[in-house]
Amino acid sequence: DGGKHWVPSSLGLGDKFIVNLMRVEGGSLYAGTIRAGLFRSRDDGRHWVSINRGLENTSVESMVSLPGGVVYAGTGQGVYVSRDDGEHWEPFNDGIGSVLVRSIIVTKEGTLYAGTQGRGIFKRRPRESKWTQVIRGFDLQGAEEQVIRALVLGRGEALYAGTLGAGIFRSRDGGLHWERANAGRRSKTA
């Protein structure tokens, strides 16, 4: 009813510390938690089941999906992929390693970007065999800010990165060049 009334929707969740939610093609809901990994609901959130087979870390900070049941999860030990709607997970970390992935997004063409805790931003195109570092960090008054808290795609697939202390940055060329996008903001922290 447009948010007028709310009811609990956490039956089966092993951790109520939810850091992200996602609906995928086909209608399944996913919940990423801090301590108990991933959960899926196929009945609009009335019941949840744990779907952690293959995950080595139960802190799931971010998720993104592609058509056909492909789901990527940003965890405390890098990126994991499921090709069967979350039933099984496998590491997808060649080039990125074991690092906390705070944010993960995908372009229309299927290019993935991952924002990390302390290692900047990584990129992986659909047919590439490994991740490549797009930028190690952003300049913050002589210090390099490497914590990327949020990534989002804008118009024309501009890429925006929200940092821990250097504000917001924008790339219009797939991460090759970056510019500050803090105009009009009082605080430079993101």
Side-chain angles (χ1 to χ4, degrees), residues 24 28-30 38-42 48-55 68-73 80-90:
V24 299
S28 293
L29 292 171
Y30 285 78
L38 282 165
F39 293 83
R40 182 184 60 218
S41 172
R42 290 186 168 152
W48 296 88
V49 295
S50 175
I51 54 168
N52 293 316
R53 188 176 303 159
L55 285 180
V70 177
V71 180
Y72 295 93
Y80 281 75
V81 62
S82 171
R83 293 177 174 83
D84 58 6
D85 197 26
E87 292 295 324
H88 303 88
W89 296 89
E90 60 187 56

Side-chain angles (χ1 to χ4, degrees), residues 102-107 111-116 120-122 134-135 138 147-164 166-183 185 190:
R102 293 262 183 208
S103 182
I104 188 166
I105 59 172
V106 63
T107 67
T111 298
L112 293 165
Y113 289 91
T116 69
I121 301 172
F122 288 79
V134 174
I135 190 160
F138 297 102
V147 178
I148 309 302
R149 301 277 307 176
L151 293 173
V152 68
L153 288 173
R155 283 188 284 233
E157 296 211 15
L159 179 64
Y160 291 86
T163 68
L164 182 62
I168 300 170
F169 290 80
R170 175 180 50 227
S171 174
R172 298 174 193 218
D173 58 7
L176 294 175
H177 301 92
W178 293 86
E179 61 189 356
R180 287 190 177 275
N182 296 320
R185 294 185 65 233

Side-chain angles (χ1 to χ4, degrees), residues 11 15-17 30 32 34 53 57 59 70 75 82 99 101 116 122 136:
L11 184 63
D15 182 4
K16 304 266 171 65
F17 196 141
Y30 285 78
I34 289 292
R53 188 176 303 159
N57 189 288
S59 176
V70 177
T75 76
S82 171
V99 63
V101 175
T116 69
F122 288 79
R136 186 163 181 247

